[in-house]
């Protein structure tokens, strides 16, 4: 039962680290301004890792026989939409 959670966490962590590592060449850097809560440039786009990790976790859970309802898919889809809009913005 914990396997999907662990896999989701590991996949999320790996993707977030990869996005951070490639943020400069991909121009995914958030430069601080008057409204920022940070003082130094920070990579953005880490939400991609969280969304993909969660999706992988749901697939693993489904393969393990855990019932995945429409609600989980809807929440994941909505989160992916918000992440996409945030990345585009």
């Amino acid at each position: 039962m914990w396997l999907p959670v662990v896999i989701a966490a590991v996949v999320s962590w790996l993707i977030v680290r990869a996005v951070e590592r490639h943020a400069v060449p991909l121009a995914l850097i958030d430069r601080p301004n008057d409204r920022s809560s940070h003082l130094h440039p920070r990579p953005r786009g880490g939400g991609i890792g969280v969304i993909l990790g969660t999706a992988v976790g749901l697939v693993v859970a489904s393969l393990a026989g855990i019932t995945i309802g429409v609600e989980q898919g809807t929440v994941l889809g909505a989160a992916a939409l918000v992440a996409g809009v945030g990345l585009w913005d």
Side-chain angles (χ1 to χ4, degrees), residues 12-80:
S12 294
W13 183 81
L14 289 172
I15 294 173
V16 168
R17 296 295 300 161
V19 168
E20 285 180 341
R21 195 174 318 115
H22 296 92
V24 173
L26 295 173
L28 294 174
I29 298 294
D30 190 14
R31 307 232 180 260
N33 60 31
D34 304 352
R35 298 175 46 200
S36 299
S37 60
H38 54 275
L39 300 175
H40 305 287
R42 294 290 308 149
R44 59 180 137 148
I48 293 169
V50 175
I51 295 297
L52 291 177
T54 302
V56 168
L58 286 174
V59 169
V60 170
S62 178
L63 293 174
I66 299 171
T67 303
I68 304 300
V70 174
E71 296 85 8
Q72 287 87 357
T74 302
V75 169
L76 181 62

